[in-house]
Amino acid sequence: VDWSNVFKALLDTHAAIRTNDLAKVYEAQSSFHSAFNHTFGSYKGNWLIPALHVVCRNTHKAAVLADKAVNRIKNTRNDHARLHSAVTLLQASYSKTLNDRVDMRRNEPLSEDGSKKVGVLYIVNQLFSMYFELNTLRLCKNLLKPVESRGIHESGSIGEMVTYRYYVGRLNMFEDQYDLAEKNFDYALRHCHKSASANKKRILNYLVPVKLLRGRLPTIKLLEKYSLNEFLPLLNGMRTGNLMEFSDGLMKNQDLFIRRGTYLLLEKCKMICYRNLFKRVYKIIGKEQIRLEMIARSFKWLGMPIDLDEVECILANLIFKQYIRGYLSHAKRVLVLSKKDPFPTSKVIKS
């Protein structure tokens, strides 16, 4: 096998790095990656997998940096041409590892007879990262089935499996599959290296909103440990039914939550906040029949006045979701609660 094209492309990449022209660096790196893919496919065994992983990581990084540099020059934010190009190169690397005919065996050392499939999961994680950056989440589906049908997602290193579960959890979250998202994020957090605080925080950025929606409130100690202070007003608001504190916290960190893609999910948590507010009103009044006017007063006291029609609409939604057991008397403007467990915890805290 002729390595001359690979070495020439590698030297061109090093020469480009010295020019500090990030666009040229990416062009040279992409040529190197293409040459390496060709050579990699000509060799038997999996001994070149570590080198392939480094090439894939460097291509990804070079593309991101080059796009940022070009966008700065053009004063735009939407030019991702180099990252799109890098995706094609990594997809080629992915195909060359996935389609190897040699069967993969767990914990097999790298050799001239080993399966190239051991390199799949790392490349899949790089592609996941790129698809999320490009907001092309539909392409993630093309990776899931081939990887999971072969059990590759359970055969990588701990770090690779944690990263995989993190991205699959995010994908579940965007598809409103919150039970699966919680399981994947839980796995990622539980198996993340104990000293990898930054990675744990990344996981918690998404696990906490999913937990909140499913009625599991984290401790203040946990949020403070990982500097997740943006969740504190939401947590306190949900726990006490303080709608004002919840809404203010959501508005204050709106841009941050939108960038993460968790804003709409956290907005849904407002229903639990409503439920806990009405539960406090019920405990204060001490009756199963509550006039809607009394509930409206609680909103006014919080500095968020609403009319009776809005109160009725919120209550109708809570009854539909089974967060409250009872019915509404529209004619009398009264909420009639069940005598037995009017605020069932089991419907809020999902198992």
Side-chain angles (χ1 to χ4, degrees):
V1 177
D2 184 10
W3 280 83
S4 60
N5 288 336
V6 176
F7 287 126
K8 180 182 180 299
L10 179 60
L11 292 172
D12 288 344
T13 304
H14 280 282
I17 290 170
R18 287 195 292 272
T19 67
N20 290 324
D21 186 331
L22 293 173
K24 284 184 179 178
V25 170
Y26 172 72
E27 292 303 322
Q29 174 64 24
S30 63
S31 298
F32 171 56
H33 194 150
S34 180
F36 192 90
N37 274 344
H38 179 74
T39 302
F40 177 81
S42 304
Y43 272 92
K44 289 184 179 179
N46 56 15
W47 61 280
L48 279 171
I49 288 294
L52 179 65
H53 286 174
V54 173
V55 173
C56 289
R57 183 174 68 246
N58 288 346
T59 299
H60 181 185
K61 286 183 177 178
V64 171
L65 292 172
D67 279 338
K68 285 181 180 177
V70 170
N71 283 326
R72 257 196 318 270
I73 294 168
K74 292 182 177 179
N75 197 26
T76 62
R77 295 175 60 185
N78 301 318
D79 187 349
H80 301 296
R82 281 137 294 274
L83 193 56
H84 279 290
S85 167
V87 165
T88 304
L89 290 166
L90 267 79
Q91 284 172 338
S93 300
Y94 164 73
S95 296
K96 289 182 185 297
T97 52
L98 182 70
N99 296 328
D100 188 26
R101 293 181 180 179
V102 180
D103 290 333
M104 183 175 69
R105 292 187 291 273
R106 279 194 175 192
N107 303 318
E108 181 184 34
L110 300 177
S111 68
E112 293 183 2
D113 302 313
S115 173
K116 292 176 181 175
K117 290 188 179 77
V118 298
V120 169
L121 199 57
Y122 182 91
I123 299 170
V124 165
N125 290 335
Q126 289 288 325
L127 284 168
F128 275 153
S129 176
M130 297 162 93
Y131 291 155
F132 273 92
E133 288 172 57
L134 293 168
N135 198 26
T136 53
L137 304 188
R138 67 187 186 283
L139 297 176
C140 294
K141 288 288 187 183
N142 300 336
L143 303 175
L144 290 176
K145 191 173 181 180
V147 168
E148 297 193 355
S149 63
R150 293 170 171 84
I152 294 172
H153 65 304
E154 297 174 340
S155 304
S157 68
I158 290 295
E160 289 169 355
M161 289 191 287
V162 165
T163 305
Y164 180 83
R165 292 294 192 99
Y166 164 74
Y167 281 116
V168 173
R170 287 182 64 182
L171 197 61
N172 295 146
M173 191 185 75
F174 288 122
E175 293 176 340
D176 295 340
Q177 296 175 321
Y178 300 118
D179 54 339
L180 290 176
E182 186 177 13
K183 287 176 185 175
N184 282 310
F185 288 137
D186 272 335
Y187 177 96
L189 186 65
R190 202 165 53 248
H191 291 85
C192 190
H193 195 279
K194 62 182 180 181
S195 62
S197 297
N199 287 341
K200 286 185 177 181
K201 183 175 179 178
R202 283 192 192 95
I203 296 165
L204 287 166
N205 283 336
Y206 298 95
L207 179 56
V208 169
V210 171
K211 291 276 190 188
L212 289 175
L213 184 63
R214 290 174 63 76
R216 293 184 174 87
L217 306 186
T219 62
I220 293 174
K221 186 179 178 181
L222 176 74
L223 298 182
E224 289 177 344
K225 180 180 177 181
Y226 292 100
S227 302
L228 296 167
N229 299 321
E230 64 270 22
F231 292 114
L232 287 173
L234 307 185
L235 175 64
N236 293 332
M238 288 177 69
R239 184 169 282 149
T240 61
N242 189 334
L243 195 62
M244 175 65 84
E245 186 175 8
F246 181 91
S247 298
D248 286 349
L250 195 61
M251 185 60 65
K252 181 182 176 182
N253 298 290
Q254 182 178 10
D255 293 341
L256 176 63
F257 294 141
I258 288 172
R259 282 199 305 274
R260 290 178 186 165
T262 57
Y263 179 80
L264 292 178
L265 190 156
L266 289 167
E267 180 75 28
K268 292 177 182 178
C269 296
K270 192 178 283 187
M271 295 306 290
I272 298 175
C273 198
Y274 284 134
R275 178 255 190 201
N276 290 342
L277 171 63
F278 297 155
K279 185 177 181 180
R280 294 190 78 181
V281 172
Y282 162 69
K283 284 186 173 181
I284 291 168
I285 293 174
K287 296 178 182 178
E288 278 76 36
Q289 294 190 19
I290 304 172
R291 287 185 294 117
L292 299 191
E293 184 186 341
M294 300 299 292
I295 295 173
R297 281 184 193 175
S298 68
F299 279 90
K300 188 176 181 181
W301 182 81
L302 286 169
M304 303 178 70
I306 61 173
D307 60 33
L308 296 184
D309 288 335
E310 288 179 85
V311 172
E312 196 169 336
C313 182
I314 293 167
L315 284 167
N317 274 309
L318 289 169
I319 292 169
F320 174 77
K321 288 178 177 288
Q322 298 182 328
Y323 286 0
I324 293 177
R325 284 190 182 137
Y327 64 90
L328 284 164
S329 171
H330 177 71
K332 295 181 179 179
R333 296 283 190 168
V334 169
L335 169 65
V336 182
L337 293 168
S338 169
K339 290 184 178 180
K340 183 182 177 182
D341 197 13
F343 295 88
T345 304
S346 61
K347 297 298 180 182
V348 178
I349 302 176
K350 306 294 192 299
S351 57

